[in-house]
Amino acid sequence: MPLAPYSQDYSLFYENCVQCVEKSLKAPCVLACDEVYNKENSGILYFNENCVVVDFSTKGCLLCGECAKSCPNDVLDKNLAEERNPNWNFSVKISETSCLAHQKILCNTCKDVCYSVLGKENAIKFVRLFYPEIKESCISCGECVSKCPTQAILLFEKERKEL
Ligand code: SF4
Ligand code: SF4
Ligand code: SF4
Ligand code: SF4
């Protein structure tokens, strides 16, 4: 599952999130993210079984850090949020079979939206017009995931970190 950002230790999601939610109807991190996106009334975090996960189906993460600031159990690390290091448990990849450009249909949508929210350098480059590649500078913000017309940008879980 794509876990919420800013975790030093992914196992904390499964150990400590439940305790937080027992005390409130909606988890503080979910509420904080809802407030960030208040114009649309819903954030990108939600509770799934016993931990908080991210949903990029409508928009990406702004790396604003508000979810981490609100976390009472330090599941989301405030220092990582300060550094704007989401440390996601997944990375983003383009499926060549689903991508329009790979089928020789002109499409630049992912490149156009990449970092448009965060205003930094573009992390998608096109090789010979039809071959989009995601560069190492990608921060997996998910903005392109929600905008790709064929849902060709997929999340792949990273291996769990040894601590
Ligand atoms: S605020 Fe922290 S402990 Fe509570 S659900 Fe979110 S990540 Fe888990
Ligand atoms: S960093 Fe901001 S936009 Fe991203 S999940 Fe946390 S509150 Fe939501
Ligand atoms: S937006 Fe989607 S379909 Fe278009 S080039 Fe990017 S990955 Fe391919
Ligand atoms: S997930 Fe990566 S490639 Fe996609 S918009 Fe964000 S930084 Fe760019």
Side-chain angles (χ1 to χ4, degrees):
M1 279 186 296
L3 298 170
Y6 310 123
S7 176
Q8 293 274 16
D9 176 357
Y10 304 136
S11 64
L12 289 177
F13 279 99
Y14 306 101
E15 289 165 15
N16 292 344
C17 276
V18 174
Q19 295 167 19
C20 152
V21 172
E22 277 174 357
K23 291 176 201 151
S24 71
L25 290 173
K26 213 167 183 184
C29 60
V30 176
L31 282 172
C33 193
D34 283 351
E35 271 183 40
V36 170
Y37 290 102
N38 61 0
K39 286 188 192 130
E40 296 159 59
N41 243 343
S42 171
I44 59 171
L45 297 181
Y46 69 98
F47 213 72
N48 183 327
E49 295 176 7
N50 60 348
C51 62
V52 169
V53 298
V54 67
D55 174 10
F56 290 145
S57 60
T58 56
K59 53 211 163 212
C61 173
L62 301 169
L63 296 190
C64 65
E66 293 303 315
C67 50
K69 282 187 212 161
S70 75
C71 178
N73 294 344
D74 292 331
V75 174
L76 310 185
D77 188 283
K78 292 167 185 61
N79 292 326
L80 284 182
E82 201 71 31
E83 295 164 13
R84 302 195 88 192
N85 174 8
N87 198 32
W88 301 109
N89 71 331
F90 56 85
S91 57
V92 173
K93 295 197 173 108
I94 293 175
S95 159
E96 294 183 7
T97 50
S98 304
C99 170
L100 293 175
H102 276 271
Q103 319 313 316
K104 304 291 185 290
I105 298 167
L106 275 181
C107 177
N108 285 318
T109 306
C110 51
K111 187 165 188 273
D112 290 345
V113 300
C114 180
Y115 281 171
S116 57
V117 178
L118 299 171
K120 293 183 186 169
E121 71 162 34
N122 198 297
I124 295 186
K125 70 168 181 188
F126 271 71
V127 179
R128 287 180 285 120
L129 201 61
F130 292 116
Y131 304 102
E133 285 182 359
I134 296 179
K135 296 195 269 184
E136 276 192 14
S137 57
C138 167
I139 48 151
S140 302
C141 70
E143 188 65 15
C144 59
V145 173
S146 61
K147 303 300 179 295
C148 172
T150 57
Q151 291 82 50
I153 305 175
L154 308 173
L155 309 182
F156 285 85
E157 197 162 0
K158 290 180 189 165
E159 283 178 36
R160 283 206 186 174
K161 282 180 15 171
E162 292 277 325
L163 293 173

